[in-house]
Amino acid sequence: MRITRGAVVAGSVALALGLSACGGGGSSSNSSNNNTGSSSGFNAGTKGIVNPSTKKGGTLRIGYSSDVDSFDPTRIYYASGENFMALYNRTLLAPAQKPGKDGLVLQPDLAESLPQISADKLTYTFKLRKGLKFEDGSPITSKDVKYAVERSFAQDVLSGGPTYIVDQLDQGQNYPGPYKDTDPNKMGLKSVQTPDDSTIVFHLAQPYADFPYLLPMLAGAVPAAKDTGEKYTDHVVSDGPYKFESFDPGKKVVLVRNPNWDPATDPIRKALPDRIEMTLQMNPDELDKQLLDGTLDIDFGQTGVQQAAQAKILLDPKLKANADEPNTGFIRYVTISSKVAPFDNIHCRKAVQYAADKVALQTARGGADAGGDIATNMLPPNIAGYDPNLDPFNTKSGKPQIDKAKQELAACGKPNGFETKIAVRNKGKEPKTAEALQQALAAVGIKATIDQSDASLYFRSTIGSPDNVHAKGYGLMFAGWGADFPTAGGFLQVLVDGRKIQPSGNNNYGELNDPEINSLIDKANSEPDPKKSAAIWSQINAKVMDTATQLPFVYDKALNYRNPRLTNVFVWSYYGEWDFSALGLSDGK
């Protein structure tokens, strides 16, 4: 999940869902030790619920230092975007909106119960709740859910979103998506069936234990008659508690109550504010200022305040009492291209690994306290399969290793260094982080120029397009990543599976395509035992690091400030962020 998912804890999918091999069940259970009580003070939102309340009314005011990548749920691939879309997009299953480990449990949303799973684990059957409606009052049927799934296959039109569902459900049909489907029988995607308006059945080609986690990442239901393709983001048809009143790209978006949302059909969302306003493309320091003076309530990105605000918060007990600094479950890293010269030579990639000053990169992110811990490999500590001893380039100290970097430069035929380009988003702390890498590389003769790009297009068409990467000569690309769902496969696969390289919206930025890694990924995905699967992912992580295409530098933390008037504030473990759709306002204004 692109940085802007969070503090997930890997475990058995069957346990997390409360499912048996061949049956469904009820909703998630509560446990007494999962930090679900009320809390207050610094980091209170990481421990429980801050200011619990059921009071309704008022306008929730959100700021964002960039533009959104999309409001179309099919195209959303930012943590904050998936968090935010729960306000207007319901899915068959959704993570429980609760603090602590309870927030990792999937529960029925559009579905009336958890799925019935066949004994061979190849068939998942869902029944929809009664009384579900779109914002215009039209009923939601299983065909609307199937159509929403089919949209994910139209990657030529709706690029940028997750494609796990395509991998699991295409099964050789080469389904082109609904816009190019010329089948006269109108069968659509054959692996998904709708025997009646309230039933949807998914057929897998082989068992895939993580399948239920793919469903919260999708558009839940889309009415085909109102689908406007790539323009659907301009007015998404809501089935949640809020609908779009207006959307002025790059400036402002306003959500208001959806009169056709029936809370009796929704066990998850509280829908406390009357109105939600988000201001886009704000200067980061101005955004922080308005947070601290109470003009804004919350930052959409939740990637941490800037250094000036950080100092104010940490030195003022009153401000600090309204801040949280969770370990987000994200890694900040740089991908080193395997296709852009001279990085097609592994020794040139290793030179960067040794030359990087991870302490300087950490400092640019906010230091050890607010920026995160030094990262040494591509699995974060909260995901099963993480190995704290995996550090092939001996970078735990964070200090550059100049002599080794120069040895690798000589080995790749560039003893005096070379020139390259660094790609980075033009937002927040990222430009300063790129400058820290630029300075460290200069010490060994690598002259890197920094190319800042618009954040809303960065992952889709800047570094997400291999052709653009090659044309621009991006040797080094900054990124951040958290688990798409709480397993090692949900974190790492999309970044390193060579079969997932796409012309647009690509996430395998280094274009790593190693047959041994690909084979191990298949082995891990088909392994039903979580511990054995995690052990395989640990092997994959080690092999990825040996390619020197990934330079992880920080296991992320984020210091964020919350307006004291907010109620029901907690860090949603599934995304590592405050839950937008749980929030209320104590003053009702």
Side-chain angles (χ1 to χ4, degrees):
M1 175 59 55
R2 291 186 184 124
I3 193 91
T4 72
R5 186 179 289 246
V8 293
V9 180
S12 166
V13 174
L15 288 175
L17 283 168
L19 298 175
S20 64
C22 58
S27 60
S28 62
S29 61
N30 291 322
S31 59
S32 59
N33 60 349
N34 281 343
N35 298 326
T36 57
S38 61
S39 190
S40 61
F42 179 59
N43 264 338
T46 68
K47 303 171 185 177
I49 300 174
V50 179
N51 301 329
S53 173
T54 59
K55 184 174 183 177
K56 293 188 175 184
T59 298
L60 176 66
R61 296 180 175 88
I62 303 172
Y64 190 30
S65 61
S66 182
D67 200 354
V68 294
D69 61 332
S70 183
F71 286 118
D72 183 340
T74 298
R75 308 189 77 173
I76 291 172
Y77 214 163
Y78 278 89
S80 295
E82 288 197 11
N83 180 354
F84 187 79
M85 77 181 186
L87 293 161
Y88 60 88
N89 176 67
R90 297 178 62 184
T91 49
L92 286 171
L93 300 177
Q97 292 183 323
K98 299 177 181 179
K101 292 182 179 180
D102 285 340
L104 299 173
V105 177
L106 297 182
Q107 68 179 59
D109 188 2
L110 290 176
E112 67 178 11
S113 64
L114 294 168
Q116 295 293 323
I117 306 176
S118 61
D120 61 7
K121 302 179 184 177
L122 296 179
T123 303
Y124 289 71
T125 302
F126 293 89
K127 287 282 189 179
L128 298 186
R129 296 181 187 275
K130 294 178 175 62
L132 297 170
K133 295 179 182 180
F134 288 112
E135 64 179 62
D136 62 0
S138 60
I140 296 172
T141 73
S142 58
K143 292 179 178 60
D144 299 312
V145 178
K146 179 178 179 178
Y147 183 80
V149 173
E150 291 174 334
R151 292 178 89 244
S152 295
F153 287 72
Q155 287 296 305
D156 57 328
V157 178
L158 305 177
S159 65
T163 58
Y164 295 100
I165 202 76
V166 176
D167 300 333
Q168 292 302 315
L169 297 179
D170 188 64
Q171 301 169 10
Q173 183 181 346
N174 296 318
Y175 180 65
Y179 311 129
K180 293 184 177 180
D181 186 355
T182 58
D183 183 356
N185 297 317
K186 305 295 183 183
M187 291 184 64
L189 183 61
K190 296 175 183 178
S191 54
V192 182
Q193 298 175 349
T194 54
D196 57 56
D197 282 351
S198 65
T199 306
I200 185 165
V201 184
F202 297 88
H203 297 280
L204 307 186
Q206 58 189 15
Y208 180 58
D210 286 346
F211 179 74
Y213 285 112
L214 309 187
L215 302 176
M217 304 172 69
L218 305 174
V222 175
K226 295 192 175 182
D227 181 13
T228 53
E230 64 180 349
K231 293 184 178 180
Y232 191 65
T233 187
D234 295 339
H235 189 109
V236 177
V237 180
S238 172
D239 56 12
Y242 297 93
K243 66 177 184 176
F244 288 86
E245 179 183 81
S246 62
F247 173 35
D248 189 353
K251 295 181 180 179
K252 192 170 185 177
V253 61
V254 178
L255 277 66
V256 295
R257 290 193 182 277
N258 172 10
N260 282 300
W261 171 74
D262 182 355
T265 71
D266 193 337
I268 298 177
R269 297 159 187 83
K270 293 181 173 65
L272 297 179
D274 290 331
R275 183 180 179 91
I276 299 167
E277 298 179 353
M278 179 158 64
T279 303
L280 305 170
Q281 298 282 30
M282 296 187 68
N283 175 279
D285 289 309
E286 177 61 24
L287 193 161
D288 290 347
K289 177 180 178 296
Q290 292 191 30
L291 284 172
L292 296 182
D293 69 20
T295 304
L296 292 174
D297 296 309
I298 192 171
D299 174 14
F300 177 84
Q302 296 191 50
T303 55
V305 298
Q306 305 307 298
Q307 290 186 351
Q310 187 182 110
K312 291 179 181 179
I313 291 168
L314 294 177
L315 293 173
D316 186 330
K318 290 184 179 179
L319 293 176
K320 189 175 180 180
N322 295 305
D324 290 321
E325 188 183 59
N327 286 102
T328 66
F330 278 88
I331 291 180
R332 297 280 182 173
Y333 66 102
V334 177
T335 289
I336 308 173
S337 177
S338 66
K339 301 296 183 183
V340 173
F343 293 123
D344 49 354
N345 185 313
I346 190 172
H347 293 288
C348 285
R349 301 198 296 267
K350 286 184 176 180
V352 172
Q353 297 280 351
Y354 287 120
D357 185 339
K358 291 188 177 181
V359 172
L361 291 164
Q362 179 191 49
T363 300
R365 292 294 313 161
D369 291 331
D373 302 320
I374 296 294
T376 61
N377 62 73
M378 285 298 291
L379 281 179
N382 56 331
I383 292 290
Y386 165 73
D387 180 357
N389 298 314
L390 179 58
D391 184 11
F393 303 106
N394 194 30
T395 61
K396 192 171 185 178
S397 71
K399 298 177 181 179
Q401 301 167 73
I402 302 298
D403 290 343
K404 287 187 176 181
K406 289 183 176 180
Q407 290 172 15
E408 295 295 342
L409 285 173
C412 79
K414 302 287 185 180
N416 298 317
F418 52 84
E419 295 183 2
T420 190
K421 286 185 180 179
I422 300 174
V424 68
R425 291 185 290 180
N426 61 348
K427 60 168 288 184
K429 306 167 186 174
E430 297 195 9
K432 291 293 184 183
T433 313
E435 290 173 9
L437 179 61
Q438 180 187 48
Q439 292 170 11
L441 296 181
V444 298
I446 301 174
K447 298 177 182 178
T449 57
I450 298 172
D451 190 352
Q452 297 186 36
S453 301
D454 182 78
S456 65
L457 300 175
Y458 182 73
F459 291 112
R460 183 178 302 161
S461 56
T462 303
I463 68 170
S465 167
D467 285 347
N468 188 63
V469 169
H470 303 161
K472 293 292 182 67
Y474 293 144
L476 305 167
M477 294 161 277
F478 273 80
W481 200 260
D484 284 331
F485 40 89
T487 67
F491 186 94
L492 193 55
Q493 179 174 357
V494 74
L495 303 182
V496 301
D497 189 330
R499 299 157 297 185
K500 294 186 178 298
I501 298 171
Q502 301 180 63
S504 177
N506 176 51
N507 300 293
N508 184 340
Y509 312 122
E511 298 177 76
L512 180 62
N513 192 5
D514 185 304
E516 187 175 4
I517 290 174
N518 296 345
S519 178
L520 283 170
I521 288 172
D522 292 341
K523 184 179 179 181
N525 284 339
S526 61
E527 173 54 64
D529 185 310
K531 290 184 179 179
K532 292 180 180 178
S533 179
I536 299 169
W537 280 108
S538 186
Q539 293 178 49
I540 295 168
N541 187 23
K543 290 186 178 298
V544 167
M545 291 303 301
D546 285 343
T547 70
T549 58
Q550 313 298 328
L551 172 61
F553 59 88
V554 161
Y555 298 126
D556 207 37
K557 291 180 182 178
L559 178 67
N560 287 299
Y561 182 82
R562 42 184 159 80
N563 192 319
R565 76 176 187 138
L566 290 175
T567 63
N568 299 313
V569 186
F570 61 87
V571 174
W572 196 359
S573 299
Y574 207 85
Y575 297 107
E577 300 180 341
W578 293 316
D579 178 0
F580 287 121
S581 53
L583 297 173
L585 305 160
S586 60
D587 56 10
K589 297 180 180 179

